[in-house]
């Protein structure tokens, strides 16, 4: 998956969210580029240099040039530890630094840059940086510049997101379910239809990528390990269970409204087994006992 | 846990009990604390702190605690000469300013004493709360920049901790609050989210606490990064229990 993401060149947009962070994937791509012998320039705005370099071994760290915009990006400190010219100049300076040979530029993050630079300026600078003026097929593959941009989706409106999306050759949207991360990748190859691909993956502690199988859709939700399973039928004051004898008696009981063969026979031979029933009625003093049928005068 | 940003977030409930907890926790742990208290008066925090076993007045007198009492000192902004920057200087600006003076206050309060003779352990910045700054006219990016600089100085340089409370309005129309909350979540190492119960108010279970670890130093294969507990706030403590296991229900 990493090779295909790095193959196209141009701008690779990594869209992450609070729940599914993208810095690990960015570092995995940085590691892959460094292992291919390229020089990697990182414009770090959100994390310190130590934190970004953590997890990389010395061979990768030696190929990684970290431009520190984290310590003092807005020149608030005195004496100033800021990069001269502020964020925009730092971004433009990367263009000159990558003019020779294949290179990868990692922007951590584009969200920070988008908050501090006007969107059109940022888009123009990114366009120049990823050398999209010349047709990718014309320049020899050795001079391709790859720009990896980390973007936090929830922080921006649809306008800036759409603008950056249209600039990107490859767009990776990170999500996942049930602890398993997935990347939805959109490739925009020149003169071809855009293609989609969804890949489930996990990033190992040394920032290499391991592909995963898609988790089954009907997996049962994991039971919360902190809730012990409690049997509700213990400690009750009544009995919910049946003994074997009680179960037998229950099964052999005929229900009163079930029309079985015995009942049919009993109905066909009245008086033999049925006890006649009597109604005992003692009238009160004020009762009107009229033996006539009150329905006689109905003309039905 | 050192050099970390812990984000306290509350949604449909009051998460200030977490602020009181962390304040008393770090004071008892002998850390140097800078408390940016924008919501309540100093005496309020002091009274609650005494129930939890710390005296804020005593801590302030011995130099362990530096407090910016927003309610009281906001008025001072207008009575100071303009050249002297007050931490809440942005209140005086016509357009949305930045929080550099507030950052300068925090930096001066927590800067380690030269010579390494500091009596206190790691520095801690506590903010109650960041959403108030939005209401006072500061833009969300300016608040994020303030937290960024505090992280660079307090967390990275001085290996201290930051604990900040922010409110989740839950209102889809409040874009600024969403940008602030999400931006802070991306910067945080640990998020503690206090939520009201979905079914409404309950006498015995006051809410639910979700704990989410972000930015693990080493990405792990099994991402068991979040836990949920329910809680009940009592007079001097908070009791936590697993979901559905409140003693009142069992």
């Amino acid at each position: 998956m990493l090779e295909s993401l790095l193959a196209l060149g141009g701008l690779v947009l990594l869209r992450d969210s609070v729940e599914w962070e993208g810095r690990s994937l960015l570092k995995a791509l940085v590691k892959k580029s460094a292992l291919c012998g390229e020089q990697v320039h990182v414009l770090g705005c959100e994390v310190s240099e130590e934190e970004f370099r953590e997890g990389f071994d010395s061979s990768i760290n030696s190929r990684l040039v970290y431009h520190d915009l984290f310590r003092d990006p807005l020149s608030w400190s005195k004496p100033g530890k800021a990069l001269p010219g502020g964020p925009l100049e730092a971004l433009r300076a990367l263009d000159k630094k990558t003019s020779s040979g294949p290179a990868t530029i990692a922007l951590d993050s584009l969200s920070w840059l988008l908050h501090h630079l006007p969107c059109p300026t940022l888009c123009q600078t990114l366009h120049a940086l990823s050398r999209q003026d010349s047709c990718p097929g014309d320049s020899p593959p050795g001079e391709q510049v790859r720009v990896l941009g980390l973007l936090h989706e929830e922080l921006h409106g649809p306008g800036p997101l759409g603008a950056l999306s249209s600039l990107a050759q490859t767009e990776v949207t990170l999500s996942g379910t049930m602890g398993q991360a997935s990347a939805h990748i959109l490739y925009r190859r020149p003169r071809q239809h855009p293609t989609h691909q969804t890949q489930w993956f996990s990033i190992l502690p040394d920032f290499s990528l391991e592909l995963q199988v898609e988790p089954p859709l009907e997996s049962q939700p994991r039971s919360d390990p902190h809730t012990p399973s409690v049997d509700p039928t213990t400690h009750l004051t009544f009995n919910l269970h049946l003994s074997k004898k009680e179960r037998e008696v229950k099964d052999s009981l005929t229900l009163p409204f079930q029309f079985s063969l015995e009942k049919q026979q009993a109905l066909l031979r009245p008086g033999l087994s049925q006890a006649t029933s009597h109604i005992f009625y003692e009238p009160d003093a004020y009762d009107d006992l009229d033996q006539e049928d009150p329905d006689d005068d109905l003309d039905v | 846990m050192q050099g970390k940003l812990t984000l306290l977030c509350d949604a449909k409930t009051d998460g200030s009990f977490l602020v009181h907890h962390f304040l008393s926790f770090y004071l008892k742990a002998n850390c140097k604390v800078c408390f940016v208290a924008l919501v309540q008066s100093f005496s309020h925090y002091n009274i609650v702190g005494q129930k939890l076993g710390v005296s804020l007045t005593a801590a302030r007198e011995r130099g362990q605690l530096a407090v910016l009492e927003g309610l009281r000192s906001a008025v001072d902004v207008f009575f100071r000469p303009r050249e002297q920057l007050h931490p809440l200087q942005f209140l005086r600006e016509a357009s949305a300013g930045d929080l550099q003076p507030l950052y300068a206050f925090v930096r001066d309060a927590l800067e380690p004493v030269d010579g390494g003779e500091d009596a206190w352990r790691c520095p801690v910045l506590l903010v109650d709360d960041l959403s108030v700054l939005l209401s006072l006219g500061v833009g969300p990016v300016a608040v994020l920049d303030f937290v960024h600089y505090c992280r660079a100085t307090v967390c990275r340089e001085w290996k201290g901790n930051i604990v900040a409370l922010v409110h989740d309005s839950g209102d889809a129309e409040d874009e600024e609050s969403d940008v602030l909350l999400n931006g802070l979540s991306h910067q945080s190492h640990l998020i503690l989210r206090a939520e009201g119960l979905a079914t409404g108010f309950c006498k015995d279970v006051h809410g639910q606490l979700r704990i989410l670890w972000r930015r693990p130093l080493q990405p792990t294969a099994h991402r068991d990064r979040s836990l949920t507990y329910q809680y009940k706030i009592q007079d001097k403590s908070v009791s936590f229990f697993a979901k559905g296991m409140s003693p009142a229900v069992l």
Side-chain angles (χ1 to χ4, degrees):
Chain A
M1 174 175 129
L2 293 178
E3 292 87 5
S4 57
L5 287 174
L6 296 172
L8 267 186
L11 175 63
V12 179
L13 203 60
L14 300 177
R15 297 165 66 137
D16 76 349
S17 57
V18 173
E19 211 190 330
W20 300 101
E21 57 92 23
R23 191 165 285 115
S24 317
L25 182 59
L26 179 70
K27 285 173 82 165
L29 287 166
V30 161
K31 175 179 170 174
K32 187 80 186 169
S33 303
L35 287 176
C36 294
E38 292 179 10
Q39 215 189 27
V40 182
H41 292 266
V42 181
L43 186 65
C45 318
E46 289 192 350
V47 296
S48 64
E49 186 171 351
E50 293 87 35
E51 194 175 332
F52 195 87
R53 286 186 187 271
E54 203 168 336
F56 289 149
D57 58 34
S58 53
S59 63
I60 300 169
N61 272 321
S62 58
R63 291 217 179 88
L64 212 142
V65 180
Y66 195 84
H67 304 269
D68 196 344
L69 262 188
F70 172 74
R71 265 194 308 178
D72 192 6
L74 307 171
S75 308
W76 282 5
S77 297
K78 30 186 203 292
K81 303 174 208 158
L83 291 178
L88 186 56
E89 283 312 310
L91 193 57
R92 287 191 175 138
L94 289 175
D95 198 6
K96 301 181 193 65
K97 289 194 170 68
T98 57
S99 51
S100 57
T104 299
I105 301 173
L107 301 173
D108 180 10
S109 65
L110 271 176
S111 285
W112 193 94
L113 291 168
L114 204 51
H115 274 149
H116 294 86
L117 299 171
C119 185
T121 315
L122 179 63
C123 289
Q124 283 164 1
T125 317
L126 279 179
H127 188 92
L129 208 54
S130 47
R131 305 248 170 63
Q132 292 176 33
D133 296 329
S134 56
C135 206
D138 293 344
S139 60
E143 279 184 25
Q144 265 192 347
V145 173
R146 225 167 280 111
V147 180
L148 311 171
L150 182 63
L151 189 65
H152 307 306
E153 277 190 310
E154 316 104 321
L155 300 183
H156 310 286
L161 282 179
L164 285 173
S165 174
S166 62
L167 274 180
Q169 252 63 53
T170 315
E171 211 173 312
V172 183
T173 307
L174 292 162
S175 65
T177 53
M178 297 194 312
Q180 188 59 55
S182 73
H184 180 85
I185 312 171
L186 172 66
Y187 297 99
R188 289 199 187 91
R189 294 189 177 84
R191 296 181 282 272
Q192 285 179 30
H193 279 299
T195 48
H196 297 259
Q197 187 195 2
T198 303
Q199 184 66 61
W200 299 81
F201 68 97
S202 62
I203 309 242
L204 302 173
D206 65 349
F207 294 105
S208 50
L209 194 100
E210 191 180 296
L211 296 178
Q212 303 283 342
V213 179
E214 181 175 345
L217 284 170
E218 313 96 24
S219 317
Q220 285 175 357
R222 275 181 308 164
S223 60
D224 194 350
H226 295 276
T227 313
S229 54
V230 176
D231 182 16
T233 56
T234 54
H235 310 305
L236 285 175
T237 53
F238 47 89
N239 186 18
L240 276 178
H241 301 289
L242 288 174
S243 70
K244 197 165 164 231
K245 196 156 173 285
E246 285 169 340
R247 201 180 291 275
E248 277 169 20
V249 172
K250 181 187 167 199
D251 288 339
S252 60
L253 190 67
T254 40
L255 295 172
F257 301 105
Q258 206 171 347
F259 197 61
S260 62
L261 194 58
E262 293 89 23
K263 209 156 191 161
Q264 193 182 19
Q265 297 300 316
L267 284 173
L268 287 173
R269 287 173 283 146
L272 264 180
S273 54
Q274 260 182 347
T276 50
S277 53
H278 290 281
I279 299 173
F280 298 96
Y281 172 63
E282 282 178 13
D284 286 338
Y286 304 105
D287 269 347
D288 180 17
L289 280 178
D290 192 352
Q291 298 299 334
E292 277 181 9
D293 187 0
D295 294 332
D296 270 349
D297 57 355
L298 280 180
D299 187 13
V300 177
Chain B
M1 199 173 81
Q2 288 211 318
K4 298 283 181 278
L5 167 61
T6 301
L7 186 67
L8 309 175
C9 167
D10 61 21
K12 291 194 195 142
T13 189
D14 184 14
S16 56
F17 71 95
L18 291 167
V19 174
H20 295 298
H21 158 74
F22 277 104
L23 181 58
S24 61
F25 171 75
Y26 280 118
L27 283 175
K28 283 185 199 168
N30 220 25
C31 295
K32 191 163 183 190
V33 178
C34 173
F35 186 23
V36 177
L38 300 172
V39 180
Q40 302 279 7
S41 65
F42 178 76
S43 52
H44 169 90
Y45 294 108
N46 197 21
I47 292 170
V48 181
Q50 276 169 1
K51 286 192 189 171
L52 298 174
V54 288
S55 164
L56 298 193
T57 336
R60 190 161 61 168
E61 273 159 25
R62 62 176 178 253
Q64 187 188 6
L65 175 66
V67 181
L68 175 67
E69 194 180 350
L71 289 173
R72 191 171 290 201
S73 68
V75 185
D76 294 340
V77 181
F78 300 98
F79 294 115
R80 268 202 201 182
R82 256 202 175 234
E83 305 76 44
Q84 272 185 3
L85 282 180
H86 187 278
L88 300 178
Q89 190 68 26
F90 63 88
L91 290 172
R92 206 168 169 171
E93 309 293 328
S95 59
D98 64 33
L99 294 172
Q100 186 178 357
L102 187 59
Y103 162 70
F105 168 81
V106 171
R107 191 191 53 216
D108 295 336
L110 290 178
E111 191 150 17
V113 173
D114 276 343
E117 295 151 15
D118 233 354
W120 317 113
R121 289 170 64 193
C122 63
V124 174
L125 168 65
L126 196 58
V127 185
D128 180 21
D129 60 56
L130 289 170
S131 301
V132 158
L133 293 170
L134 285 185
S135 318
L136 291 171
V138 184
V141 179
V143 182
L144 290 174
D145 285 339
F146 164 70
V147 176
H148 175 116
Y149 264 90
C150 290
R151 252 195 326 134
T153 316
V154 176
C155 291
R156 198 201 132 255
E157 213 175 306
W158 299 333
K159 305 284 183 282
N161 290 328
I162 303 180
V163 179
L165 176 65
V166 71
H167 299 301
D168 183 0
S169 62
D171 186 5
E173 307 250 322
D174 195 346
E175 283 176 22
E176 289 197 336
S177 172
D178 280 343
V179 169
L180 178 62
L181 177 62
N182 287 320
L184 287 170
S185 304
H186 276 283
Q187 290 191 36
S188 315
H189 297 91
L190 176 65
I191 305 176
L192 298 176
R193 197 180 151 89
E195 298 166 342
L197 295 177
T199 42
F201 178 73
C202 169
K203 189 165 64 82
D204 297 298
V205 180
H206 288 147
Q208 177 164 288
L209 187 73
R210 274 207 298 174
I211 306 171
L212 178 68
W213 282 276
R214 283 202 85 251
R215 289 173 57 182
L217 290 176
Q218 295 287 335
T220 46
H222 288 287
R223 293 198 169 203
D224 198 12
R225 302 166 299 161
S226 104
L227 284 175
T228 307
Y229 291 103
Q230 291 180 337
Y231 62 87
K232 177 180 178 176
I233 303 174
Q234 288 152 338
D235 188 43
K236 292 191 180 173
S237 66
V238 182
S239 55
F240 290 93
F241 35 86
K243 262 186 180 175
M245 303 295 279
S246 160
V249 174
L250 289 174

